[in-house]
Amino acid sequence: MNSSTLAESPKPKVPTVGTKIASQIKNNGALWAFFLLLVINILITPNFLQIQTLYVNLTQVATVAIVAIGMTLVIASGGIDLSVGALMALAGTVAPMIFLSDFGVANPELGLFVAIVVAISAAGIAGLFNGFLISKYKIQPIIATLILFISGRGIAQVLTNGELQTFDNPSFEFIGTGRVFGVPVQAWITLVLALSIAWVLKRSIYGRFLLAVGGNEKAAELAGVPATKVKLMTYMVCGLLAGIAGIITTAINSASDANQTGQLMELDAISAAIVGGVLLTGGRLPSLVRF
């Protein structure tokens, strides 16, 4: 190749500011729409920026955000989880049963700790069951998670005979109604979980494996990615996060309601994940945690 040929070769196009903005809107349209709605509310809604309004908003979105984090991982892996609401009900039912039992009453602090750990673990095991059906038996995620969508809440209803479980436990209720530095405890929990998951996605090999499996599972397996382990871990984490959200919801209400806890949460979580920037087709994470 001579110098004249090199001189005639086209120069790479430098993206303009307009092109960059258009690309951002295309890739994160739902997120930009959310910010637009936020600005509109600030401008036209009275008292929107008041501390009390912010406090109410934080308490209303914390549980949705927690479940949406897990749903984001599941969708990025190329799946979906319809059971998160039922797992919230299950965890919210198990915890009071333990700290209201004879063991919990006799050992208040230990009983509360065991109640929270067992309740969240139960939701995590249920999530692991979802992942097992999907990864081992290749059942479609929407079908596999539909099993616990129905039976998970059913188990919670059987455990409580379908009745409301009320309690008076200030230590447990603090999880849902307490404040630290004026900020709701559940908001702190949400922040810690979001930052922890984001760090794991960006700093560990799991994040890259997750995107590889979500993008093209067969190609990922040929490249040596342990797709089965990735899916098992993903659905287990989603279950654990749903369990945490169920604990918070129960603590807020000072009652365990197997019939209502987590109702339609799967739809809220999927919507929140999409607004955050995940693709329903899988293989992409929100822009804040992309590599």
Side-chain angles (χ1 to χ4, degrees), residues 118-129:
V118 171
I120 295 174
S121 298
I125 292 171
L128 194 63
F129 173 75

Side-chain angles (χ1 to χ4, degrees), residues 128-144:
L128 194 63
F129 173 75
N130 285 334
F132 183 77
L133 293 179
I134 293 164
S135 61
K136 289 289 187 179
Y137 292 101
K138 307 302 180 184
I139 299 176
Q140 287 294 324
I142 196 170
I143 302 300

Side-chain angles (χ1 to χ4, degrees), residues 164-167 173 176-177 248-257 261:
L164 194 68
Q165 249 188 140
T166 60
F167 54 82
E173 292 165 12
T177 59
I248 293 173
T249 301
T250 302
I252 292 172
N253 298 326
S254 299
S256 169
D257 187 353
T261 300

Side-chain angles (χ1 to χ4, degrees), residues 6 20 46 54 80 86 90 93 102 121 133 145 160 175 184 191 220 271 276:
L6 288 173
K20 292 180 179 179
L54 179 61
I80 203 76
L90 181 62
T93 296
D102 293 338
S121 298
L133 293 179
T145 59
T160 60
I175 299 172
L191 179 63
S271 300

Side-chain angles (χ1 to χ4, degrees), residues 69 72-73 76 193-211 284-291:
I69 294 171
T72 295
L73 300 180
L193 290 173
L195 292 177
S196 300
I197 296 295
W199 186 89
V200 170
L201 290 174
K202 290 182 74 72
R203 299 296 180 181
S204 74
I205 196 66
Y206 167 73
R208 299 183 184 278
F209 281 175
L210 180 69
L211 292 182
R284 192 178 85 167
L285 288 166
S287 56
L288 292 177
V289 290
R290 289 179 200 158
F291 308 109

